[in-house]
Amino acid sequence: MAALVGLGLLSACQPALRGTGDLGLVVERADGRLMVVENSTSTKLASVAGLGDLSHAALVYSRDQRFAYVFGRDGGLTKVDMLTGTIAGRVMQSGNSIGGAISQDGTLVAVANYTPGGIKVFDAATLAQVADIPAMGADGKASKVIGIADLSGRRFIYTLYDAGEIWIADLSDLKSPKITKHTNIGKLPYDALITGDGRWYLAGLFGEDGIAMLDLWNPDKGVRRILDHYGKGKEALPVYKMPHLRGWAVAGDEVWLPAIGHHQVLVVDKGKWTEKARVDLAGQPVFAMARPDGRQVWVNFAVPDYSKVQVIDTQTKKVIKTLEPGLAILHMEFTPKGERVWLSARDSDKVVVYDTETLEQVAEIPASRPSGIFFTNRAHKTGL
Amino acid sequence: MAEVAPARSGAEVAPARSGAEIAPSRQAKLKDMVDQDCGSCHGMTRQGGLGSPLLAEDLNKLSAEAVIETILEGRPGTPMPPWKAMLSREEAAWIAAYLMGEMK
């Protein structure tokens, strides 16, 4: 009830109408709860509870931006109604999941699983399961799945962590999904990203140096290894948190990647796939995220440097400011046109909002152990 | 907190019940670290994720010393890093005992 009132959907006789384009969700991971938030006012509108284990939870949005599909660590898939602040549907789909994707046409939601591995695909409207595709590597063993993203048509691309393979599942015929496999892509691919145009799929490798890359305009050419020197190198540096490649770090004709184990980000030419520069940083980067206009890249860090955030000017490739917004900054999300960025300060129990021009804090919102922040404009972006 | 055994200092191998050597405020921080930082890979409920499960029944297949070593030195060839830059042996022993169910 409280949530309904908070969203202004119930009034004496005339329900107020509103859109969802100004809304987002913040994961309060220790409590299995989401906050429904509003960009323009930097406020919380409602709380949605009962989502289970949300550690490392991710979500995607429906095409109409009304619903979020939340992928919980406990294998729960929850459909949340942004307008009513309620759970519209929930299924327990596996023992342990990590992320998911929604198809280009918005009809299918695919979930990538750690246990038992593989992907499961659900009808976005009803949450009825429509496909279950195990991930058996060439070695005959079940594999954890990471880095799932939507491709054109009813296709999903994802990576097998244990087996070192990239698969594409085509679900245009639900009765017989077609799988295309690229094997031997490298050891322990830990995360992957797809560029916003849907052309390049990059998987970072933990077990060896380099990045596995697939050109989806020319998939027959197979997976190429790029940036051979990219990785931990000879000195096996401890990596206190696996970097995320999905930080959407494409700015203009450059891709910004967290250097695994090093206190650096790499700048790579998008298309030639050669390194152009490295920028030294305050710690091991986790996310390197480009402001929507590509003029800045914001970086957060692994423990013990995770209370800092650095802002890089992409033209000069220099850190222009080191911020300390709060304790344990886990995630960053730009407003759709990038005038502000929201940061979750897990150990300060708050979300802080910064102006991206002045680099000053403009708001903060109390939140219980916040982690992921997701705005509804992701609904119309490939790979998000 | 459960009652802790008297501290045994100077032992080569940290005693399993080494809670007494760690101040209560530090213990709270270590618990939080297990939940949050270890939880990033192993799950906040320790059911596993990219990292293996850390439930008591899994860890009790190992010796306390093996768990302590893994925390301090990591597991080469896997994403498990060595935490010795951030944890003392006593702290790693406390975490091992905590995970293995010797204290609540």
Side-chain angles (χ1 to χ4, degrees):
Chain A
M1 266 320 274
L4 293 175
V5 174
L7 287 174
L9 288 186
L10 288 186
S11 61
C13 47
Q14 289 176 308
L17 295 174
R18 73 156 301 155
T20 55
D22 198 23
L23 302 182
L25 290 166
V26 177
V27 175
E28 292 180 301
R29 71 182 200 169
D31 299 333
R33 221 172 37 216
L34 297 174
M35 294 164 52
V36 181
V37 295
E38 185 174 57
N39 274 327
S40 298
T41 55
S42 301
T43 52
K44 170 175 145 182
L45 301 183
S47 244
V48 188
L51 283 93
D53 181 355
L54 291 182
S55 52
H56 214 289
L59 58 86
V60 296
Y61 285 106
S62 63
R63 272 158 79 100
D64 64 2
Q65 299 180 324
R66 177 167 177 177
F67 298 101
Y69 300 90
V70 185
F71 310 106
R73 184 38 93 56
D74 54 6
L77 167 62
T78 313
K79 185 176 178 180
V80 171
D81 185 335
M82 304 286 290
L83 283 179
T84 58
T86 55
I87 290 176
R90 178 169 162 85
V91 290
M92 289 304 287
Q93 58 85 32
S94 89
N96 193 319
S97 74
I98 186 60
I102 186 162
S103 61
Q104 183 184 39
D105 66 3
T107 61
L108 300 174
V109 173
V111 187
N113 288 316
Y114 278 168
T115 315
I119 69 166
K120 287 187 176 175
V121 185
F122 298 85
D123 181 305
T126 64
L127 296 192
Q129 185 174 308
V130 296
D132 178 357
I133 304 172
M136 290 295 199
D139 56 3
K141 292 186 188 139
S143 188
K144 296 179 175 112
V145 170
I146 54 108
I148 189 165
D150 51 303
L151 296 181
S152 58
R154 289 182 164 181
R155 295 184 304 150
F156 296 100
I157 185 165
Y158 50 95
T159 295
L160 278 57
Y161 171 79
D162 305 281
E165 301 179 13
I166 293 173
W167 288 16
I168 296 171
D170 184 340
L171 291 134
S172 40
D173 177 4
L174 288 176
K175 291 191 180 58
S176 65
K178 290 182 186 57
I179 311 289
T180 313
K181 301 177 185 177
H182 296 273
T183 54
N184 292 321
I185 66 153
K187 285 186 194 138
L188 299 183
Y190 59 87
D191 195 20
L193 77 83
I194 191 159
T195 54
D197 55 11
R199 177 169 181 181
W200 308 100
Y201 183 76
L202 308 174
L205 302 173
F206 188 86
E208 54 189 295
D209 289 349
I211 286 185
M213 186 190 73
L214 187 60
D215 175 359
L216 289 151
W217 290 6
N218 301 287
D220 298 338
K221 290 188 177 166
V223 173
R224 261 173 64 195
R225 182 71 59 88
I226 57 166
L227 302 173
D228 265 343
H229 56 281
Y230 170 92
K232 288 181 299 179
K234 292 193 178 65
E235 8 156 22
L237 292 157
V239 178
Y240 294 113
K241 187 172 166 100
M242 300 299 262
H244 281 257
L245 295 181
R246 316 195 76 173
W248 216 189
V250 180
D253 56 0
E254 293 172 339
V255 180
W256 293 70
L257 295 168
I260 190 163
H262 295 270
H263 293 196
Q264 290 177 322
V265 281
L266 297 188
V267 188
V268 176
D269 182 291
K270 183 184 166 194
K272 285 194 202 145
W273 303 106
T274 50
E275 185 182 323
K276 288 172 72 169
R278 286 179 181 227
V279 179
D280 290 326
L281 298 168
Q284 293 182 351
V286 175
F287 283 102
M289 300 185 84
R291 195 170 75 174
D293 65 354
R295 184 59 202 274
Q296 295 172 352
V297 167
W298 289 55
V299 185
N300 72 332
F301 301 101
V303 67
D305 302 301
Y306 60 7
S307 297
K308 295 190 182 101
V309 168
Q310 291 191 302
V311 186
I312 302 167
D313 179 306
T314 53
Q315 273 199 308
T316 61
K317 306 207 171 16
K318 287 195 166 47
V319 173
I320 52 174
K321 195 160 183 188
T322 301
L323 305 170
E324 299 201 10
L327 301 174
I329 305 298
L330 290 195
H331 198 242
M332 308 175 281
E333 180 85 339
F334 291 93
T335 54
K337 290 192 178 179
E339 78 286 351
R340 288 182 170 185
V341 63
W342 290 42
L343 310 161
S344 52
R346 186 193 70 201
D347 294 353
S348 298
D349 287 313
K350 64 184 181 182
V351 171
V352 289
V353 183
Y354 273 73
D355 180 301
T356 60
E357 280 300 320
T358 64
L359 306 183
E360 297 291 336
Q361 185 182 318
V362 290
E364 67 177 57
I365 304 162
S368 171
R369 292 305 182 100
S371 56
I373 306 172
F374 306 89
F375 292 138
T376 53
N377 63 308
R378 288 170 169 252
H380 306 132
K381 290 182 179 173
T382 296
L384 298 179
Chain B
M1 283 299 294
E3 283 295 300
V4 288
R8 288 186 293 158
S9 55
E12 272 299 281
V13 174
R17 299 175 188 274
S18 55
E21 297 165 13
I22 312 285
S25 62
R26 181 63 181 157
Q27 289 186 18
K29 281 213 163 50
L30 293 177
K31 274 191 186 176
D32 207 53
M33 185 175 175
V34 169
D35 285 349
Q36 304 291 345
D37 298 317
C38 305
S40 298
C41 286
H42 298 280
M44 288 183 78
T45 51
R46 301 181 217 144
Q47 310 273 343
L50 205 61
S52 53
L54 298 182
L55 300 169
E57 64 255 33
D58 301 301
L59 294 183
N60 280 302
K61 293 171 190 159
L62 308 166
S63 67
E65 187 54 27
V67 176
I68 295 166
E69 279 304 306
T70 302
I71 294 170
L72 292 174
E73 301 298 334
R75 288 184 61 198
T78 79
M80 175 69 180
W83 291 92
K84 61 188 174 195
M86 288 178 224
L87 296 171
S88 69
R89 174 163 283 269
E90 289 70 28
E91 289 169 333
W94 187 89
I95 290 174
Y98 171 62
L99 291 173
M100 294 169 93
E102 300 208 17
M103 34 186 110
K104 289 286 175 285

